[in-house]
Amino acid sequence: IMALDAGVGLLSHLATHPHSRGVLLRRKVAEELLLEMVVSSEKLEFPPEQYLCTLAGAVEVVIKLIWDEEHPPFLPTTPVLHTIVWTLICALDGVMWAGITWSALSRVQALAKLSAVDELKVHLIDLHLIEALVRLLDQWTSEQGVLVLEYALLTLLNLLTVEEARFRLYLTGVYRPLRSIVLGDEGASAGAREKAVLCAWLLFEWQGGKLGTV
């Protein structure tokens, strides 16, 4: 499994660079290798943690290469989704899991795409992704880079089409980190500020609607 995990990690790295990404696309690595591995894993009843991490990495590479939000080539299983969310939490805590140190950026890049798929939104909410994302917003500093912040906010926006997500977001006390981002504290980008405003507005609109029905 360690060799397989190292191979998937290398593919993930190659998929981020234009030239090597083009080579992977031409050779159909995602379609003919990774997709088969991910889909065949659905037959496993109790896959080990290390293999779930490898599968989560394979899913992220597929998302980088050939993901289509309207017609996704596959839907990750609940254990794989759980692994992606759990490794985001590990990244926020700065701890290793399954012998690996995780990056918050690669997690939220994948989750931003997955959260746009209607069939996956409730699963991700049930896995406490909302709470994890609010932790990320609260902990964010400019040293982490603006991309991780923008992808986290995009993921939130995707999930806020579900009422349960708005309720959970309200319970987290998210207004404080959103206000900090909107004001540009810690060097938040214009794109992040815009997304934070939209999140706050959607939540405010939901609260107003609830008060109007009381």
Side-chain angles (χ1 to χ4, degrees):
I1 293 179
M2 291 181 64
L4 182 61
D5 188 65
V8 171
L10 176 59
L11 290 174
S12 180
H13 179 71
L14 293 173
T16 61
H17 297 277
H19 177 71
S20 53
R21 171 187 166 84
V23 174
L24 295 177
L25 287 170
R26 286 194 299 273
R27 297 195 175 185
K28 297 185 180 296
V29 170
E31 299 94 321
E32 297 180 1
L33 178 63
L34 297 177
L35 263 181
E36 182 178 347
M37 183 176 75
V38 171
V39 173
S40 64
S41 70
E42 296 176 4
K43 301 174 184 177
L44 300 175
E45 292 188 18
F46 303 104
E49 289 181 351
Q50 183 68 50
Y51 189 57
L52 282 172
C53 292
T54 302
L55 289 174
V59 167
E60 290 179 3
V61 177
V62 172
I63 288 172
K64 288 178 181 179
L65 292 175
I66 61 167
W67 190 253
D68 184 334
E69 293 170 7
E70 294 186 3
H71 305 286
F74 70 99
L75 294 179
T77 63
T78 298
V80 171
L81 289 176
H82 174 269
T83 300
I84 296 174
V85 175
W86 178 245
T87 51
L88 170 61
I89 294 170
C90 290
L92 296 177
D93 290 338
V95 300
M96 297 179 69
W97 189 62
I100 302 171
T101 301
W102 301 91
S103 159
L105 177 58
S106 60
R107 305 283 86 73
V108 291
Q109 283 177 321
L111 289 164
K113 297 287 186 68
L114 294 171
S115 61
V117 179
D118 288 338
E119 294 90 335
L120 298 178
K121 292 184 179 185
V122 172
H123 294 297
L124 291 169
I125 294 166
D126 287 344
L127 291 169
H128 303 287
L129 178 56
I130 293 289
E131 292 82 355
L133 291 169
V134 173
R135 279 190 59 198
L136 189 156
L137 300 186
D138 205 31
Q139 296 177 12
W140 182 81
T141 63
S142 58
E143 286 76 16
Q144 296 171 274
V146 296
L147 282 180
V148 67
L149 183 62
E150 292 188 10
Y151 278 114
L153 288 164
L154 177 58
T155 305
L156 274 180
L157 284 172
N158 289 338
L159 294 176
L160 286 177
T161 59
V162 180
E163 182 164 350
E164 174 67 16
R166 299 189 188 194
F167 176 66
R168 291 198 182 201
L169 188 61
Y170 168 74
L171 293 178
T172 65
V174 71
Y175 280 122
R176 188 182 69 81
L178 286 180
R179 179 179 181 276
S180 178
I181 294 166
V182 170
L183 293 176
D185 295 351
E186 293 290 344
S189 65
R193 294 198 298 271
E194 181 181 352
K195 291 178 179 66
V197 168
L198 287 173
C199 283
W201 170 251
L202 287 172
L203 190 56
F204 178 77
E205 182 183 50
W206 175 82
Q207 283 182 261
K210 289 297 178 185
L211 290 173
T213 59
V214 173

